[in-house]
Amino acid sequence: GAVVSQHPSWVICKSGTSVKIECRSLDFQATTMFWYRQFPKQSLMLMATSNEGSKATYEQGVEKDKFLINHASLTLSTLTVTSAHPEDSSFYICSASESGNTGPHFGDGTRLSIL
Amino acid sequence: GENVEQHPSTLSVQEGDSAVIKCTYSDSASNYFPWYKQELGKGPQLIIDIRSNVGEKKDQRIAVTLNKTAKHFSLHITETQPEDSAVYFCAARLYNFNKFYFGSGTKLNVKP
């Protein structure tokens, strides 16, 4: 079945560092990928929709200069958390749909810890 | 936009019993409803889905029902096993939009 790979799975870094997270669709092409943030024991909060070859669409309240998204190919989207601070610590998950008619498949998430 | 509500937030059952999780949605234009299982430290995994032209779908021990008139859909797990313990999310997608709205999640605990 469709597989979405996310890397890295866990990042610990100092405050002020920029962190890049990769999301890849391994056996299908995805013109659209989604980035979510999940706090402990809470649901998935959609941050942005990543569109191949065009600018990402950000949800209200999400700083686009803080969370840079690049969807350079049909199988890769990246999320860069710029100048990360402790409040950015969270679980970040990406998803991609194999087609417009099926539910998205999720990566295994990236746990980001900013010291 | 769409608003998806999910109940209960936690559910504890004895191994072998059935578990039911319910979701409601607000926008009648939603036409696709996937369910996800999320284990600790992992991303959600698609386990079953249903489209608005179908009232029920079953896959082994899990089934989903949809009532379009009442705008609610449910996940049914029969003969529960300890490995079914996880957080389950329902979701809804608006027709012609590629955006999914998620419920708040249900933590299912199956006691051996």
Side-chain angles (χ1 to χ4, degrees):
Chain A
V3 176
V4 175
S5 174
Q6 194 171 335
H7 179 81
S9 57
W10 195 15
V11 180
I12 302 175
C13 57
K14 294 181 180 179
S15 185
T17 306
S18 291
V19 179
K20 180 185 283 190
I21 303 169
E22 292 186 350
C23 180
R24 295 181 184 273
S25 55
L26 295 186
D27 55 358
F28 65 98
Q29 293 183 332
T31 55
T32 304
M33 293 184 176
F34 301 91
W35 287 96
Y36 295 84
R37 185 172 179 175
Q38 187 177 35
F39 292 101
K41 299 183 180 180
Q42 293 192 22
S43 189
L44 303 155
M45 184 190 80
L46 180 64
M47 298 175 64
T49 302
S50 173
N51 304 297
E52 188 269 336
S54 65
K55 291 183 179 180
T57 305
Y58 290 82
E59 295 300 300
Q60 191 173 9
V62 178
E63 300 176 58
K64 59 182 180 181
D65 295 331
K66 175 74 172 177
F67 300 99
L68 300 179
I69 291 172
N70 183 24
H71 196 149
S73 76
L74 288 171
T75 59
L76 173 64
S77 175
T78 61
L79 168 69
T80 301
V81 184
T82 61
S83 187
H85 291 283
E87 58 266 27
D88 298 322
S89 298
S90 191
F91 193 51
Y92 292 88
I93 313 175
C94 71
S95 74
S97 288
E98 186 170 4
S99 73
N101 292 321
T102 61
H105 297 274
F106 285 84
D108 269 342
T110 296
R111 184 157 303 283
L112 176 61
S113 296
I114 308 298
L115 304 176
Chain B
E2 173 67 281
N3 181 42
V4 178
E5 294 191 355
Q6 183 172 346
H7 300 281
S9 56
T10 59
L11 179 60
S12 188
V13 299
Q14 204 67 38
E15 181 178 1
D17 288 349
S18 295
V20 180
I21 302 170
K22 298 182 179 181
C23 288
T24 61
Y25 60 100
S26 60
D27 198 322
S28 56
S30 290
N31 69 340
Y32 176 70
F33 309 91
W35 284 88
Y36 291 86
K37 174 184 181 182
Q38 186 177 27
E39 296 177 336
L40 194 63
K42 293 193 172 184
Q45 179 185 11
L46 179 65
I47 57 172
I48 196 168
D49 55 17
I50 191 167
R51 302 183 192 283
S52 58
N53 60 346
V54 176
E56 184 174 357
K57 183 177 179 180
K58 190 174 181 180
D59 182 5
Q60 300 183 334
R61 293 188 298 107
I62 59 174
V64 58
T65 59
L66 171 65
N67 183 328
K68 284 194 300 181
T69 304
K71 293 205 282 289
H72 65 70
F73 55 114
S74 300
L75 177 71
H76 305 254
I77 306 174
T78 59
E79 300 173 27
T80 54
Q81 301 167 2
E83 50 264 40
D84 294 329
S85 297
V87 178
Y88 291 80
F89 291 98
C90 62
R93 185 192 70 185
L94 284 173
Y95 174 74
N96 256 358
F97 289 88
N98 199 16
K99 184 184 288 190
F100 289 81
Y101 297 85
F102 287 85
S104 53
T106 296
K107 184 175 182 180
L108 173 64
N109 180 34
V110 180
K111 295 178 286 186

